[in-house]
Amino acid sequence: MIQTAHDVLIVTGMSGAGRSTVANALEDLGWYVVDNLPPQMLRPLVDLAVHPGSALPKIAAVVDVRGGKLFADLALIIDELRDRATVRVLFLEATDAALVRRFEQVRRPHPLQLDGTLLDGIGRERERMLEVRELSDIVIDTSELNIHQLATTVSQIFAPAGTADVKLTLESFGFKYGAPTDVDMIADARFLPNPFWQEELRSSTGLDGAVSDYVLGQEGALDFLDAYFAALQPVLAGYARENKRHATIAIGCTGGKHRSVAMIEQLAARVRTLPGIAVTVKHRDLGRE
């Protein structure tokens, strides 16, 4: 692949998953954004981006099923462009329930609904999007994100990060609220005793020293952290080599309040010692119960 100083980002995904919000957020970060671009027009756009002296170093193209029959060529075109330039694909995902709710709120039909229901249109779109989703470099599940949270997520991924090779989000969560779908790796902290059953710790969180000390003091806790950190180092180095600039690693426990929070905080402290890694910590379910 030709390495250039230019960025070309293809933004695609499910209708209703937040493409407009992402386009606005990228514009705020200084990207030149082209909306509703037919896939066939990506070729001249990439030519413009890699042309010596181009005034458009960061270009984002929003491509989706509004392109009709032209959209069918998108996966093939992406493969072709990756042989000529550095091209990334951002795919926006959401659950059926979230998409139905959003379409009902704006009282608009799905672009593939035809004479059927909203779910019929969503199902057709998922089928058409499957191949492109597999080609994507970054997948963001927006089901639980409002427009402000989504814009913040985009900023964390695409804002300049100095010399960082990989922007890593370390996320805690509670399995009882469902495992996150937009992560690269998930570990389970439920092998440790639950501080919830310690009355003096129940109302505290993994951010509190007493809870952290309790969790880390359990048999196997530090062994797990040391081993997991060692296992992550070649993974993160590989991400940098493969130009995977953003990754999310999650640790879950039952409620996302005690064990996973304490373990993520400790893992973050270790990862921050690595050169070229910018770390963001997210506690998805903290304060939820």
Side-chain angles (χ1 to χ4, degrees):
M1 179 180 291
I2 300 171
Q3 297 298 318
T4 75
H6 306 277
D7 285 323
V8 177
L9 178 69
I10 298 172
V11 180
T12 188
M14 298 297 294
S15 299
R19 292 189 305 261
S20 296
T21 298
V22 170
N24 292 336
L26 289 170
E27 283 190 340
D28 291 342
L29 294 172
W31 289 67
Y32 182 83
V33 179
V34 183
D35 191 17
N36 196 16
L37 189 72
Q40 291 73 12
M41 294 300 296
L42 288 169
R43 296 185 181 98
L45 186 68
V46 169
D47 289 340
L48 175 63
V50 301
H51 188 275
S54 171
L56 302 173
K58 296 189 296 183
I59 300 176
V62 181
V63 182
D64 53 69
V65 294
R66 289 175 295 173
K69 294 181 179 180
L70 298 176
F71 182 81
D73 295 332
L74 179 57
L76 182 63
I77 292 172
I78 291 172
D79 276 336
E80 173 192 324
L81 294 177
R82 282 175 168 168
D83 291 332
R84 297 163 48 196
T86 301
V87 177
R88 290 181 292 170
V89 179
L90 168 62
F91 191 96
L92 300 175
E93 178 65 276
T95 64
D96 287 359
L99 295 175
V100 168
R101 182 175 66 252
R102 291 169 187 173
F103 274 105
E104 289 180 341
Q105 287 174 344
V106 298
R107 300 183 181 181
R108 296 189 63 187
H110 188 279
L112 298 182
Q113 185 171 339
L114 304 177
D115 294 328
T117 66
L118 274 173
L119 285 175
D120 292 333
I122 291 169
R124 293 188 186 101
E125 186 175 29
R126 285 201 191 281
E127 291 181 6
R128 295 189 186 183
M129 286 289 186
L130 185 60
E131 187 176 6
V132 175
R133 192 185 193 282
E134 292 299 318
L135 292 173
S136 299
D137 302 284
I138 304 168
V139 177
I140 300 178
D141 189 323
T142 70
S143 303
E144 301 296 329
L145 302 179
N146 60 38
I147 59 174
H148 306 293
Q149 292 168 329
L150 178 55
T152 298
T153 299
V154 171
S155 179
Q156 291 173 344
I157 297 173
F158 294 104
T163 59
D165 297 317
V166 177
K167 298 179 183 179
L168 180 67
T169 299
L170 296 175
E171 178 178 342
S172 69
F173 71 93
F175 277 101
K176 74 177 185 179
Y177 301 115
T181 60
D182 55 346
V183 300
D184 298 282
M185 301 173 64
I186 291 180
D188 188 349
R190 291 176 295 183
F191 70 95
L192 298 170
N194 193 346
F196 178 85
W197 301 113
Q198 304 297 316
E199 187 173 350
E200 69 276 14
L201 300 177
R202 183 171 301 171
S203 61
S204 301
T205 75
L207 297 176
D208 297 311
V211 173
S212 180
D213 290 344
Y214 176 86
V215 172
L216 298 176
Q218 300 303 313
E219 183 178 357
L222 291 178
D223 290 338
F224 168 82
L225 282 170
D226 291 340
Y228 198 46
F229 175 54
L232 285 178
Q233 292 180 55
V235 173
L236 295 174
Y239 283 166
R241 289 194 302 270
E242 294 300 315
N243 201 35
K244 181 176 175 61
R245 299 302 180 185
H246 176 80
T248 301
I249 294 171
I251 297 179
C253 61
T254 302
K257 179 178 179 181
H258 296 109
R259 292 166 290 181
S260 62
V261 173
M263 297 293 272
I264 280 291
E265 289 289 332
Q266 288 297 315
L267 183 61
R270 287 164 166 78
V271 175
R272 287 190 176 108
T273 66
L274 299 176
I277 307 296
V279 178
T280 299
V281 172
K282 175 182 177 182
H283 299 301
R284 190 192 74 174
D285 298 323
L286 196 60
R288 190 162 181 171
E289 60 179 39

